[in-house]
Amino acid sequence: NGLRYFVPTGKQEEFISSIGSGDKFIGIFSGGNRAGKTCLEIATLGNIVFGQQNKWFDYPLFRDWKYSKKARIGTTPKNLEEIGAIHSNINEWWKPELYEASKQGKTYNSLYKTSTGWTIDLMSYEQSVTEWESAQLGLVIFDEPPPQDIFEATVARLADGGMILVFMTPLSFAGYLFDDLLTKPVEKVTVTYCDIEDSCTEHGIRGFRQHEHIANMISFLDPDEKEARAHGTPTHLSGRVYKNFDEKIHIVDNR
């Protein structure tokens, strides 16, 4: 059972603590590439569906889940492949005897059932939004930011209470998510930003990547995407002072 031996980086620990009270509706881990997002995602999910597995998850959320035991993971088609990050991390961290996986007619495992009574389905962002309207859920995990219509359809799936967790690299298409959160009660939303250096053995807390490899990767990143891919910060407002500026509205020809 790999979950017993999961040790988070400092930023991963910060995220676990931020949602641990169980009173948040949305928790976001916004990290650069190779910052340990999917690993944290599957470890967090495992400590919910199987209960607290080690000292790092010693919080009410993990000791006593109070919502429906129906969960959903949404992600890109590539991540749903058998060798994708989600299935690979489940195989690495979860004890095989504690769950069953089935394809349900798909080319990948699309349904997990656990010994603790949980049902977890996996869906692609390419599926019709009407398919996302099909169930009442207690927990939804987004692996990378979903299209806005899927996100909005998902919120309605939690009418009886629950939580949405998002693990992502905040490229420009995630902008709507951050803008929308600015209008919501701050006590219901938590965002943890994670730099790739937070996973560094030299500069991070309990890091696991060598600094020379991190530096080499960063040196080849597109400058327009470096903030998101290296530092975990949103890029959709990059270069803009007033994010709602619109030439058609805010510029008047007085000639």
Side-chain angles (χ1 to χ4, degrees):
N1 183 4
L3 293 174
R4 295 186 182 276
Y5 306 100
F6 175 82
V7 177
T9 65
K11 278 295 180 178
Q12 289 175 332
E13 180 188 5
E14 182 181 320
F15 173 78
I16 294 166
S17 173
S18 74
I19 64 172
S21 64
D23 60 358
K24 302 298 184 183
F25 182 59
I26 298 175
I28 295 178
F29 185 79
S30 180
N33 290 139
R34 315 308 297 165
K37 297 186 299 295
T38 308
C39 176
L40 174 63
E41 169 188 326
I42 298 305
T44 300
L45 177 59
N47 276 270
I48 291 175
V49 303
F50 301 118
Q52 179 196 343
Q53 297 292 300
N54 67 39
K55 67 177 183 178
W56 303 104
F57 293 87
D58 187 13
Y59 294 98
L61 176 69
F62 308 105
R63 293 195 299 264
D64 183 25
W65 179 258
K66 57 186 178 180
Y67 304 114
S68 167
K69 289 187 175 183
K70 292 182 179 179
R72 174 169 291 163
I73 299 176
T75 188
T76 62
K78 191 68 177 176
N79 281 346
L80 286 174
E81 294 179 357
E82 288 298 320
I83 60 172
I86 292 176
H87 300 296
S88 297
N89 274 276
I90 288 177
N91 291 337
E92 179 176 355
W93 293 104
W94 291 12
K95 188 176 181 180
E97 293 83 357
L98 299 181
Y99 67 90
E100 293 181 355
S102 58
K103 294 186 177 181
Q104 301 290 302
K106 303 289 197 311
T107 58
Y108 56 87
N109 286 330
S110 64
L111 186 70
Y112 284 84
K113 291 187 176 183
T114 74
S115 59
T116 51
W118 279 79
T119 300
I120 307 162
D121 68 357
L122 281 74
M123 295 184 66
S124 165
Y125 294 155
E126 288 190 348
Q127 291 179 242
S128 167
V129 68
T130 58
E131 296 182 64
W132 290 78
E133 301 270 11
S134 61
Q136 289 299 314
L137 304 165
L139 175 65
V140 178
I141 290 180
F142 288 120
D143 183 88
E144 299 303 347
Q148 187 170 0
D149 56 351
I150 287 178
F151 181 81
E152 292 174 350
T154 296
V155 170
R157 301 303 96 212
L158 301 166
D160 293 327
M163 179 178 287
I164 295 174
L165 301 179
V166 186
F167 300 82
M168 69 180 190
T169 296
L171 295 169
S172 59
F173 52 83
Y176 82 86
L177 196 55
F178 288 94
D179 288 343
D180 186 57
L181 291 177
L182 294 177
T183 68
K184 301 298 186 289
V186 294
E187 69 273 9
K188 291 297 181 181
V189 178
T190 178
V191 182
T192 302
Y193 295 101
C194 180
D195 193 292
I196 190 173
E197 287 285 359
D198 289 312
S199 64
C200 177
T201 55
E202 294 179 39
H203 306 105
I205 299 173
R206 297 181 296 276
F208 55 92
R209 298 195 186 282
Q210 298 299 312
H211 178 71
E212 63 178 306
H213 301 316
I214 293 174
N216 183 57
M217 186 195 83
I218 291 176
S219 69
F220 283 90
L221 290 177
D222 184 326
D224 292 334
E225 295 186 345
K226 185 176 291 187
E227 285 299 311
R229 294 192 181 278
H231 310 305
T233 53
T235 61
H236 71 294
L237 301 182
S238 179
R240 303 187 69 174
V241 178
Y242 300 104
K243 68 182 182 68
N244 293 321
F245 177 80
D246 186 328
E247 272 189 42
K248 295 178 180 178
I249 298 174
H250 299 109
I251 292 182
V252 177
D253 188 347
N254 287 323
R255 288 177 298 178

